[in-house]
Amino acid sequence: MRSPVRGRSPVQVLSPIDGEEASDNTPLLQGAPQAEAAPVCCSARYNLAVLAFFGFFVLYALRVNLSVALVDMVDSNTTLADNRTSKECAEHSASNKVLHNQMGKRYQWDAETQGWILGSFFYGYIITQIPGGYIASKVGGKLLLGFGILGTSIFTLFTPIAADFGVGALIVLRALEGLGEGVTFPAMHGMWSSWAPPLERSKLLSISYAGAQLGTVISLPLSGIICFYMNWTYVFYLFGIVGIIWFALWMWLVSDSPETHKSISHSEKEYILSSLKNQLSSQKTVPWIPMLKSLPLWAIVVAHFSYNWSFYTLLTLLPTYMKEILRFNVQENGILSAVPYFGCWLCMILSGQAADHLRAKWNFSTICVRRIFSLIGMIGPAVFLVAAGFIGCDYSLAVAFLTISTTLGGFCASGFSINHLDIAPSFCKRRCTPTPYLLSS
């Protein structure tokens, strides 16, 4: 039996007529000569994963903080006037001994205006997705990811000023933040195409991208606490400064590839390069026609589109649902909105370990692992998300269903989310742009 990658060019891997059934049923790199695995502790590749983890932590903190802050920025009477379902559920928030800080300026923005403000981020986000992949192949993922997050952090610091200028200025600013964040996933995928040994791919990528979920887990309740006890403007100042600090560490400690890393051990460098040499192609031109004809590639596109549609809708509007429908105050809102993403973060970490264990120790084929994890991560969330729409004002059940739904979505991190690197690692700097983000956003 032959490996789905070893000894074949990326163009052949992408071809839908190249004996898929025969190649898909064999474990990745089974029988291929492999260097002895380098130690994990203090290794350059896991240091990269940890720094990427914190990078995506900052990235999603910058993205979602407005969802909670907006609850406190808007005069509630303006929203209630347009919301016919806001009184369906009874007010139930317990009275707080510490009074809610009312110093922050309030704006008369109706529900439609709030929708435009929250959605404007994605109008910038879609623009830099495909160019981000191309730029990463030219300047390297380190610079692109670093300056993408730096730019978003700086724009975040100016959010209170933009809000004072008016809705138009705030929408433009959020779109600019989206431009900065749009390059991050293509840049990171490009770096992992040079850094991740195939049989550690699920672990390394799940660690790095799990930072996005933890960033959501921390930023949502922290934003709620800051709004409640201080002032909503400090939400943007805090996360903006954290992003700038992370940028300094990233530029100091990270390299684009093992060959250019200053402190990597010789054994680790040899391990990474030898494990990738049978996967990477010397072909420089992108095989666009075979890509467009590739059924595996379209399967990844459809899966991304479907998952991201529900994920980003929930990510953006969950705090609003908690306030307007379930009637939680801003402090409770931030905490309860974060619970589903804590489950997702935990699931991503554990599923990454499980996926690579199944491939390395149990000889599960890569395609089998990707399919199983994608199936769990797509069907499970769909069932519980639909069920959440039929439970009325049962607060506990609503939070439980949303938590289970989002948690199960974490399996996708070791499913279709990293399948780009399995089928075409040589072109991941350019081809692994998450195009479905563009459509679903």
Side-chain angles (χ1 to χ4, degrees), residues 405-435:
S405 173
T406 307
T407 297
L408 292 176
F411 279 95
C412 290
S414 298
F416 66 82
S417 289
I418 60 173
N419 199 214
H420 318 72
L421 284 170
D422 295 324
I423 67 173
S426 296
F427 299 98
C428 231
K429 285 188 175 76
R430 284 168 283 188
R431 197 200 62 77
C432 286
T433 298
T435 306

Side-chain angles (χ1 to χ4, degrees), residues 10 58 125 146 164 178 242 256 262 281 320 324 369-370 398 420:
V58 172
Y125 192 63
D164 279 338
V242 169
D256 277 310
K262 296 179 180 178
S281 169
T320 301
E324 302 297 343
V369 171
R370 300 293 182 239
H420 318 72

Side-chain angles (χ1 to χ4, degrees), residues 258-278:
E259 295 96 325
T260 59
H261 197 282
K262 296 179 180 178
S263 60
I264 189 173
S265 68
H266 177 74
S267 61
E268 183 182 10
K269 182 191 293 187
E270 288 300 312
Y271 166 58
I272 295 172
L273 295 179
S274 64
S275 66
L276 292 174
K277 68 180 180 180
N278 292 317

Side-chain angles (χ1 to χ4, degrees), residues 275-287:
S275 66
L276 292 174
K277 68 180 180 180
N278 292 317
Q279 293 218 330
L280 300 178
S281 169
S282 59
Q283 181 179 350
K284 300 301 181 182
T285 58
V286 179

Side-chain angles (χ1 to χ4, degrees), residues 135-183:
I135 297 171
S137 68
K138 297 298 182 182
V139 304
K142 172 186 173 178
L143 290 176
L144 191 61
L145 179 61
F147 280 100
I149 296 180
L150 176 65
T152 303
S153 301
I154 292 173
F155 286 129
T156 298
L157 293 172
F158 288 97
T159 300
I161 297 175
D164 279 338
F165 272 104
V167 173
L170 183 56
I171 288 175
V172 170
L173 185 75
R174 286 292 291 178
L176 290 174
E177 290 181 27
L179 288 174
E181 290 203 12
V183 302

Side-chain angles (χ1 to χ4, degrees), residues 235-253:
V235 171
F236 303 105
Y237 298 147
L238 172 65
F239 291 115
I241 291 172
V242 169
I244 293 173
I245 294 172
W246 173 87
F247 170 78
L249 293 173
W250 176 260
M251 297 302 293
W252 178 33
L253 298 172

Side-chain angles (χ1 to χ4, degrees), residues 55 74 106 193 215 247 374 440:
V74 175
R106 301 298 180 91
S193 69
F247 170 78
S374 295
S440 58

Side-chain angles (χ1 to χ4, degrees), residues 187-198:
M188 194 71 252
H189 261 66
M191 290 187 71
W192 281 127
S193 69
S194 300
W195 272 99

